[in-house]
Amino acid sequence: MEKTWTFHVRLPGGTYEREFFFLEDVLENETDFINIHREKDPSRLYVVIILLKEKEGYHRQGFHLYTDLDIDFPTLVLGGTIPIPTIEGTLLYDLPPGIQNQKLRLINHGLIRPNKMGGRGDQYVRLHIQIPQNLSDLQKSTLEAFRNAMNVHS
């Protein structure tokens, strides 16, 4: 006779790829599965192996996360508050005017490290200039006026 069991497990922060846990240690609730199998063979071990999938839009290196963000040219030049997606929600970041560094470091916004290591990794955000593809006549003339004011030769 075959029986299917469904478990709800709670993994601790800092769980990493290919880590394993004894099922009894991560179960949310005591289940009949454990009780029945404990009676049959108390020495038998049940292991949960964790296979993590990367969240779309993020690249993981160790406990650090890397992501890309498109920013419009005026905000890069003039500065402003930009929303940055993190794994725990959106962070509002004050971008300084005239930013030259194309990568931001958000300290302690990466993945939680296992308890024995403590802390968190960082999140690195690569900024990319968002170039509009279709400009209105007003936008084109404004850019031309800006180019002329900067004394850039066309």
Side-chain angles (χ1 to χ4, degrees):
M1 183 170 129
E2 186 175 312
K3 180 158 174 77
T4 302
W5 298 87
T6 302
F7 305 110
H8 290 276
V9 297
R10 184 169 305 277
L11 300 176
T15 298
Y16 54 91
E17 192 172 8
R18 296 185 190 96
E19 187 172 3
F20 67 91
F21 298 93
F22 296 114
L23 186 57
E24 290 182 66
D25 295 339
V26 293
L27 280 174
E28 280 193 349
N29 304 330
E30 189 71 22
T31 68
D32 291 337
F33 176 84
I34 294 293
N35 295 329
I36 291 169
H37 287 83
R38 194 180 285 143
E39 289 172 13
K40 286 183 183 177
D41 183 0
S43 65
R44 186 170 175 145
L45 300 177
Y46 300 96
V47 177
V48 176
I49 298 174
I50 308 303
L51 299 175
L52 299 177
K53 183 172 115 180
E54 282 193 6
K55 186 172 181 179
E56 190 172 330
Y58 296 89
H59 173 70
R60 177 181 181 179
Q61 287 185 350
F63 297 100
H64 300 300
L65 295 175
Y66 292 81
T67 189
D68 295 289
L69 187 63
D70 291 334
I71 304 292
D72 61 272
F73 176 70
T75 302
L76 288 171
V77 173
L78 301 173
T81 301
I82 60 170
I84 298 178
T86 71
I87 58 172
E88 293 181 335
T90 301
L91 171 76
L92 294 178
Y93 185 88
D94 290 326
L95 196 66
I99 189 164
Q100 296 293 318
N101 185 359
Q102 298 297 314
K103 185 165 56 171
L104 305 176
R105 179 181 177 194
L106 306 177
I107 297 171
N108 292 325
H109 280 82
L111 298 175
I112 297 171
R113 291 186 174 110
N115 287 336
K116 59 188 165 212
M117 295 174 73
R120 294 183 76 136
D122 299 330
Q123 180 176 341
Y124 293 90
V125 183
R126 289 177 291 249
L127 301 178
H128 301 279
I129 298 174
Q130 185 178 15
I131 306 292
Q133 299 302 309
N134 300 310
L135 295 175
S136 69
D137 289 339
L138 175 62
Q139 290 168 325
K140 287 178 187 176
S141 63
T142 303
L143 276 175
E144 283 293 334
F146 175 75
R147 178 166 50 189
N148 292 337
M150 296 296 294
N151 296 320
V152 177
H153 304 306
S154 53

